[in-house]
Amino acid sequence: EDQVTQSPEALRLQEGESSSLNCSYTVSGLRGLFWYRQDPGKGPEFLFTLYSAGEEKEKERLKATLTKKESFLHITAPKPEDSATYLCAVQAGDDKIIFGKGTRLHILP
Amino acid sequence: NAGVTQTPKFQVLKTGQSMTLQCAQDMNHNSMYWYRQDPGMGLRLIYYSASEGTTDKGEVPNGYNVSRLNKREFSLRLESAAPSQTSVYFCASRMGAGVGEQYFGPGTRLTVT
């Protein structure tokens, strides 16, 4: 069964304390992996697409990486405005899109 | 360029009432989706439309119907609302061909009493 699991469910960090969020997946024929950011009361906002193992993408304090079984979203020196829920999704070989349940990130000033 | 728009933003229904949630996109995307998001459950796909003129069931279609009115618009109808349908509903679109990210609307918060 195709599945996407994100960990941890929630993470509290001090401002400037770097960390990583994990997205592990089991799908038939990965076509792409997506990261989204969701602020309270809003729709998910697209961040990155990763296509194949070894690929990396960066945007400001965020860097996403991909292996054959998981993806990491690294957050370097986070600020309070980085607080949000981060969602991971995969596009499988049959073009089905499967979302994880997300990681709630809270950055304390 | 408004992206994906949804109406209404909030709605309260009584059990048994019906309503239609509207979604429109101005990005010339082929594929459109309806999701519901509940605490602890993540995003669950209700229905999707891979292209104009086609619709397919997702993970949780019971109690819902959809209409792909044209390339821009995709509506979700609740014929007889139930308290279990209390949720936040998101519409999304993507180009459709190949690998591609989705773009989401702002959501509709629905409460069924």
Side-chain angles (χ1 to χ4, degrees):
Chain A
E1 180 189 351
D2 295 336
Q3 199 166 353
V4 176
T5 303
Q6 291 189 245
S7 61
E9 288 186 17
L11 182 62
R12 293 166 68 91
L13 299 171
Q14 290 295 133
E15 183 172 1
E17 182 184 0
S18 301
S19 188
S20 297
L21 313 182
N22 178 264
C23 171
S24 63
Y25 60 90
T26 52
V27 293
S28 304
L30 178 75
R31 299 197 67 196
L33 184 142
F34 311 98
W35 282 99
Y36 295 85
R37 169 190 171 127
Q38 186 175 21
D39 292 302
K42 297 191 175 181
E45 177 186 351
F46 169 70
L47 292 173
F48 304 110
T49 304
L50 300 168
Y51 296 92
S52 58
E55 190 175 1
E56 298 182 353
K57 293 270 180 77
E58 283 190 71
K59 180 179 180 180
E60 296 181 0
R61 294 176 292 282
L62 300 177
K63 183 168 83 171
T65 61
L66 181 64
T67 72
K68 287 188 177 179
K69 292 185 178 179
E70 58 192 347
S71 176
F72 292 95
L73 185 65
H74 306 278
I75 303 175
T76 302
K79 298 182 178 182
E81 54 261 42
D82 295 321
S83 296
T85 295
Y86 291 85
L87 301 172
C88 170
V90 299
Q91 184 172 346
D94 58 359
D95 278 343
K96 189 167 65 172
I97 297 172
I98 306 119
F99 276 85
K101 293 182 180 180
T103 294
R104 295 188 310 278
L105 177 65
H106 187 53
I107 309 299
L108 302 165
Chain B
N1 192 346
V4 179
T5 57
Q6 292 182 237
T7 56
K9 285 188 166 53
F10 301 94
Q11 184 72 47
V12 179
L13 291 178
K14 293 185 193 274
T15 297
Q17 287 184 319
S18 62
M19 79 161 296
T20 300
L21 282 65
Q22 306 286 355
C23 173
Q25 53 91 8
D26 62 2
M27 296 175 283
N28 201 34
H29 285 170
N30 292 303
S31 300
M32 298 185 73
Y33 305 78
W34 277 105
Y35 291 91
R36 60 178 289 174
Q37 188 174 44
D38 303 288
M41 302 294 291
L43 282 165
R44 291 184 292 170
L45 182 64
I46 305 171
Y47 271 93
Y48 67 100
S49 170
S51 61
E52 187 179 356
T54 69
T55 60
D56 285 289
K57 294 178 181 179
E59 181 186 355
V60 288
N62 291 344
Y64 306 95
N65 284 300
V66 291
S67 295
R68 182 76 183 265
L69 304 169
N70 48 55
K71 191 170 185 179
R72 289 187 63 247
E73 299 172 287
F74 189 38
S75 63
L76 178 72
R77 182 158 178 86
L78 286 69
E79 289 292 350
S80 179
S84 61
Q85 294 179 304
T86 293
S87 188
V88 182
Y89 291 85
F90 289 102
C91 176
S93 71
R94 70 181 191 99
M95 183 58 68
V99 181
E101 66 276 9
Q102 293 170 303
Y103 293 86
F104 286 81
T108 294
R109 185 173 294 274
L110 175 66
T111 302
V112 184
T113 62

